[in-house]
Amino acid sequence: KAGVTQTPRYLIKTRGQQVTLSCSPISGHRSVSWYQQTPGQGLQFLFEYFSETQRNKGNFPGRFSGRQFSNSRSEMNVSTLELGDSALYLCASSFRTSGSDEQFFGPGTRLTVL
Amino acid sequence: AQSVAQPEDQVNVAEGNPLTVKCTYSVSGNPYLFWYVQYPNRGLQFLLKYITGDNLVKGSYGFEAEFNKSQTSFHLKKPSALVSDSALYFCAVRDMMGAAGNKLTFGGGTRVLVKP
Protein backbone atom coordinates (compact mmCIF):
# COMPACT_ATOMS: atom_id res chain seq x y z
CA LYS A 1 0.00 0.00 0.00
CA ALA A 2 1.46 3.33 -1.06
CA GLY A 3 2.09 5.88 1.67
CA VAL A 4 1.21 9.55 1.78
CA THR A 5 2.83 11.45 -1.05
CA GLN A 6 3.53 15.16 -1.21
CA THR A 7 4.59 17.24 -4.17
CA PRO A 8 6.79 19.03 -4.73
CA ARG A 9 9.40 18.01 -2.18
CA TYR A 10 11.26 21.30 -2.37
CA LEU A 11 10.21 24.80 -3.35
CA ILE A 12 11.96 28.14 -3.46
CA LYS A 13 9.82 31.25 -3.74
CA THR A 14 10.25 34.96 -3.18
CA ARG A 15 8.30 37.21 -0.87
CA GLY A 16 4.90 38.20 -2.18
CA GLN A 17 4.48 35.16 -4.39
CA GLN A 18 1.95 32.43 -3.78
CA VAL A 19 2.46 28.69 -3.62
CA THR A 20 0.33 25.55 -3.86
CA LEU A 21 1.34 22.29 -2.21
CA SER A 22 -0.27 18.94 -2.95
CA CYS A 23 -0.93 15.87 -0.83
CA SER A 24 -2.23 12.46 -1.87
CA PRO A 25 -3.40 10.40 1.12
CA ILE A 26 -3.21 6.67 1.59
CA SER A 27 -5.85 4.94 -0.50
CA GLY A 28 -9.14 4.80 1.40
CA HIS A 29 -8.22 7.55 3.85
CA ARG A 30 -10.68 10.42 3.87
CA SER A 31 -9.09 12.74 6.42
CA VAL A 32 -6.16 14.93 5.46
CA SER A 33 -4.45 17.26 7.92
CA TRP A 34 -1.70 19.79 7.32
CA TYR A 35 1.02 20.83 9.73
CA GLN A 36 3.79 23.43 9.60
CA GLN A 37 7.14 22.55 11.15
CA THR A 38 9.69 25.25 11.97
CA PRO A 39 12.69 25.26 14.33
CA GLY A 40 11.18 28.05 16.40
CA GLN A 41 7.51 27.07 16.62
CA GLY A 42 7.78 23.32 16.25
CA LEU A 43 4.87 21.40 14.75
CA GLN A 44 1.69 23.41 14.40
CA PHE A 45 -1.67 22.31 13.08
CA LEU A 46 -2.91 24.20 10.03
CA PHE A 47 -6.21 22.54 9.11
CA GLU A 48 -7.98 19.25 8.53
CA TYR A 49 -10.23 18.24 5.67
CA PHE A 50 -12.63 15.33 5.76
CA SER A 51 -14.90 14.40 2.89
CA GLU A 52 -14.13 17.70 1.13
CA THR A 53 -15.11 19.80 4.16
CA GLN A 54 -12.79 21.73 6.43
CA ARG A 55 -13.14 20.04 9.79
CA ASN A 56 -10.92 22.25 11.89
CA LYS A 57 -8.51 25.13 11.48
CA GLY A 58 -5.44 26.17 13.41
CA ASN A 59 -4.35 29.64 14.37
CA PHE A 60 -2.90 30.81 11.08
CA PRO A 61 -3.72 33.90 9.01
CA GLY A 62 -6.14 33.79 6.14
CA ARG A 63 -3.23 33.65 3.68
CA PHE A 64 -3.16 29.95 4.43
CA SER A 65 -5.98 28.04 2.80
CA GLY A 66 -6.72 24.56 1.63
CA ARG A 67 -9.16 22.33 -0.10
CA GLN A 68 -9.90 18.67 -0.63
CA PHE A 69 -11.10 16.96 -3.76
CA SER A 70 -13.58 14.13 -4.16
CA ASN A 71 -10.71 11.62 -4.41
CA SER A 72 -9.45 12.88 -1.00
CA ARG A 73 -6.38 14.52 -2.48
CA SER A 74 -5.72 17.85 -0.82
CA GLU A 75 -3.97 21.07 -1.67
CA MET A 76 -2.89 23.93 0.51
CA ASN A 77 -2.21 27.41 -0.75
CA VAL A 78 -0.20 30.20 0.79
CA SER A 79 -0.64 33.64 -0.73
CA THR A 80 1.56 36.70 -0.35
CA LEU A 81 4.46 34.72 1.00
CA GLU A 82 6.50 36.07 3.89
CA LEU A 83 9.99 35.09 5.02
CA GLY A 84 8.46 33.49 8.10
CA ASP A 85 6.53 31.03 5.96
CA SER A 86 9.75 29.14 5.30
CA ALA A 87 9.09 25.74 6.82
CA LEU A 88 8.56 22.06 6.29
CA TYR A 89 4.89 21.49 5.48
CA LEU A 90 3.66 18.05 6.44
CA CYS A 91 0.51 16.34 5.33
CA ALA A 92 -1.06 13.48 7.28
CA SER A 93 -3.91 11.14 6.46
CA SER A 94 -6.19 8.81 8.37
CA PHE A 95 -9.33 6.84 7.64
CA ARG A 96 -11.63 8.66 10.04
CA THR A 97 -11.87 11.98 11.76
CA SER A 98 -12.21 12.17 15.53
CA GLY A 99 -11.48 8.47 15.96
CA SER A 100 -8.60 6.71 17.61
CA ASP A 101 -6.74 6.17 14.34
CA GLU A 102 -3.15 7.22 14.07
CA GLN A 103 -2.25 9.61 11.30
CA PHE A 104 0.27 8.71 8.63
CA PHE A 105 2.58 11.48 7.53
CA GLY A 106 4.09 12.25 4.17
CA PRO A 107 7.74 13.24 3.66
CA GLY A 108 6.87 16.92 3.59
CA THR A 109 7.43 19.85 1.28
CA ARG A 110 10.34 22.08 2.20
CA LEU A 111 9.40 25.68 1.35
CA THR A 112 12.06 28.36 1.32
CA VAL A 113 10.97 31.98 0.95
CA LEU A 114 13.68 34.42 -0.13
CA ALA B 1 -6.91 23.70 25.38
CA GLN B 2 -4.51 20.84 24.82
CA SER B 3 -0.79 20.99 25.52
CA VAL B 4 2.18 18.67 25.57
CA ALA B 5 5.53 19.15 27.27
CA GLN B 6 8.73 17.33 26.50
CA PRO B 7 11.07 18.64 29.18
CA GLU B 8 14.32 17.47 27.61
CA ASP B 9 15.58 18.97 24.37
CA GLN B 10 18.14 16.20 24.04
CA VAL B 11 18.78 12.81 25.57
CA ASN B 12 22.16 11.12 25.27
CA VAL B 13 22.49 7.41 25.90
CA ALA B 14 25.07 4.74 25.22
CA GLU B 15 24.16 1.92 22.86
CA GLY B 16 22.70 -1.00 24.78
CA ASN B 17 21.51 1.14 27.66
CA PRO B 18 17.85 1.86 28.42
CA LEU B 19 16.31 4.88 26.72
CA THR B 20 13.57 7.05 28.20
CA VAL B 21 11.98 10.09 26.56
CA LYS B 22 9.65 12.03 28.82
CA CYS B 23 6.26 13.51 27.96
CA THR B 24 3.53 15.15 30.02
CA TYR B 25 0.22 16.34 28.67
CA SER B 26 -2.80 18.46 29.47
CA VAL B 27 -6.22 17.89 27.95
CA SER B 28 -9.72 18.67 29.15
CA GLY B 29 -11.11 15.17 28.73
CA ASN B 30 -9.60 11.75 28.21
CA PRO B 31 -6.63 11.72 25.86
CA TYR B 32 -5.47 9.84 22.86
CA LEU B 33 -1.67 9.88 23.08
CA PHE B 34 0.85 9.20 20.33
CA TRP B 35 4.58 8.97 19.81
CA TYR B 36 6.19 9.74 16.48
CA VAL B 37 9.81 9.67 15.33
CA GLN B 38 11.40 11.86 12.67
CA TYR B 39 14.62 11.05 10.86
CA PRO B 40 16.53 13.78 8.99
CA ASN B 41 14.72 15.11 5.92
CA ARG B 42 11.81 12.77 6.51
CA GLY B 43 8.23 13.02 7.68
CA LEU B 44 6.96 11.70 10.99
CA GLN B 45 6.79 7.95 11.51
CA PHE B 46 4.20 6.49 13.90
CA LEU B 47 5.61 4.49 16.82
CA LEU B 48 2.69 3.77 19.16
CA LYS B 49 -0.50 5.09 20.67
CA TYR B 50 -2.53 4.93 23.86
CA ILE B 51 -6.27 4.77 23.44
CA THR B 52 -7.63 3.00 26.49
CA GLY B 53 -6.99 -0.10 28.54
CA ASP B 54 -3.56 -1.39 29.51
CA ASN B 55 -1.31 1.41 30.66
CA LEU B 56 1.73 -0.19 29.03
CA VAL B 57 1.62 0.15 25.28
CA LYS B 58 3.98 -1.71 22.96
CA GLY B 59 4.89 -0.28 19.58
CA SER B 60 7.25 -0.55 16.67
CA TYR B 61 11.01 -1.24 16.79
CA GLY B 62 10.97 -2.40 20.42
CA PHE B 63 9.56 0.84 21.82
CA GLU B 64 6.96 0.96 24.56
CA ALA B 65 5.28 3.70 26.54
CA GLU B 66 3.64 3.88 29.92
CA PHE B 67 0.48 5.91 30.45
CA ASN B 68 0.12 7.40 33.91
CA LYS B 69 -3.16 9.22 34.38
CA SER B 70 -2.41 10.62 37.84
CA GLN B 71 0.86 12.14 36.64
CA THR B 72 -0.53 12.98 33.19
CA SER B 73 2.54 11.41 31.64
CA PHE B 74 3.25 9.17 28.68
CA HIS B 75 6.96 8.39 28.70
CA LEU B 76 8.54 6.51 25.81
CA LYS B 77 10.97 3.72 26.66
CA LYS B 78 13.24 1.22 25.01
CA PRO B 79 15.11 -1.37 27.06
CA SER B 80 18.24 -1.40 24.89
CA ALA B 81 18.97 1.55 22.60
CA LEU B 82 20.56 1.22 19.16
CA VAL B 83 22.65 3.78 17.29
CA SER B 84 19.93 3.73 14.63
CA ASP B 85 17.43 5.06 17.23
CA SER B 86 19.14 8.45 17.03
CA ALA B 87 16.40 10.77 15.78
CA LEU B 88 13.88 13.40 16.83
CA TYR B 89 10.97 12.11 18.91
CA PHE B 90 7.59 13.81 19.26
CA CYS B 91 4.81 13.18 21.74
CA ALA B 92 1.31 14.26 20.68
CA VAL B 93 -2.15 14.40 22.22
CA ARG B 94 -5.65 14.49 20.87
CA ASP B 95 -8.86 15.01 22.83
CA MET B 96 -10.91 11.79 22.85
CA MET B 97 -14.12 13.78 22.60
CA GLY B 98 -13.18 14.65 19.07
CA ALA B 99 -14.37 18.23 19.09
CA ALA B 100 -11.17 19.23 17.33
CA GLY B 101 -11.32 16.45 14.77
CA ASN B 102 -7.96 14.89 14.11
CA LYS B 103 -5.98 17.88 15.35
CA LEU B 104 -2.81 16.73 17.06
CA THR B 105 -1.01 18.95 19.55
CA PHE B 106 2.69 18.15 19.60
CA GLY B 107 5.40 18.59 22.15
CA GLY B 108 8.53 20.45 21.17
CA GLY B 109 10.43 17.29 20.40
CA THR B 110 13.36 15.50 22.03
CA ARG B 111 16.50 14.74 20.11
CA VAL B 112 17.91 11.34 21.00
CA LEU B 113 21.58 10.64 20.42
CA VAL B 114 22.73 7.07 20.93
CA LYS B 115 26.50 6.74 21.06
CA PRO B 116 28.32 3.51 20.14
Side-chain angles (χ1 to χ4, degrees):
Chain A
K1 206 173 196 181
V4 178
T5 58
Q6 293 187 244
T7 56
R9 291 292 311 276
Y10 301 91
L11 267 178
I12 300 176
K13 293 286 186 179
T14 56
R15 280 179 297 174
Q17 287 186 310
Q18 75 167 16
V19 66
T20 299
L21 312 182
S22 180
C23 171
S24 292
I26 290 172
S27 178
H29 285 191
R30 294 185 294 162
S31 168
V32 174
S33 299
W34 289 88
Y35 294 84
Q36 181 195 65
Q37 184 178 19
T38 59
Q41 299 298 317
L43 279 157
Q44 293 186 290
F45 173 79
L46 279 157
F47 28 66
E48 179 197 3
Y49 286 86
F50 181 77
S51 294
E52 302 179 65
T53 302
Q54 189 177 85
R55 180 73 173 80
N56 197 3
K57 190 177 190 305
N59 189 24
F60 278 83
R63 300 185 296 107
F64 291 81
S65 63
R67 60 178 175 169
Q68 187 180 34
F69 302 95
S70 59
N71 62 357
S72 294
R73 189 177 70 86
S74 177
E75 290 181 346
M76 67 164 282
N77 184 278
V78 187
S79 62
T80 319
L81 284 166
E82 301 178 358
L83 294 178
D85 297 333
S86 295
L88 181 66
Y89 290 89
L90 294 165
C91 160
S93 79
S94 65
F95 180 68
R96 298 176 294 174
T97 183
S98 306
S100 60
D101 307 339
E102 61 270 28
Q103 294 175 55
F104 294 88
F105 283 79
T109 294
R110 172 77 62 184
L111 172 65
T112 302
V113 182
L114 302 176
Chain B
Q2 307 170 159
S3 66
V4 178
Q6 292 181 242
E8 300 158 316
D9 290 337
Q10 181 160 322
V11 169
N12 298 316
V13 63
E15 187 174 33
N17 282 2
L19 169 63
T20 299
V21 185
K22 295 179 181 177
C23 170
T24 58
Y25 67 91
S26 174
V27 67
S28 56
N30 291 317
Y32 290 144
L33 293 158
F34 303 84
W35 275 102
Y36 286 87
V37 60
Q38 185 176 36
Y39 296 97
N41 300 315
R42 303 280 294 277
L44 274 63
Q45 185 174 331
F46 170 75
L47 282 178
L48 50 80
K49 65 182 178 183
Y50 172 80
I51 303 302
T52 187
D54 195 348
N55 289 343
L56 185 62
V57 179
K58 294 190 181 297
S60 306
Y61 313 115
F63 284 94
E64 58 190 28
E66 187 166 10
F67 172 68
N68 187 317
K69 188 172 183 177
S70 63
Q71 297 185 3
T72 61
S73 67
F74 189 55
H75 301 330
L76 181 70
K77 299 181 181 182
K78 186 171 184 181
S80 179
L82 301 172
V83 172
S84 57
D85 293 328
S86 298
L88 188 56
Y89 291 79
F90 290 97
C91 180
V93 67
R94 193 166 80 224
D95 185 351
M96 192 185 290
M97 293 304 293
N102 275 345
K103 174 185 176 182
L104 286 173
T105 299
F106 285 91
T110 297
R111 188 165 301 280
V112 170
L113 180 60
V114 182
K115 297 182 179 180

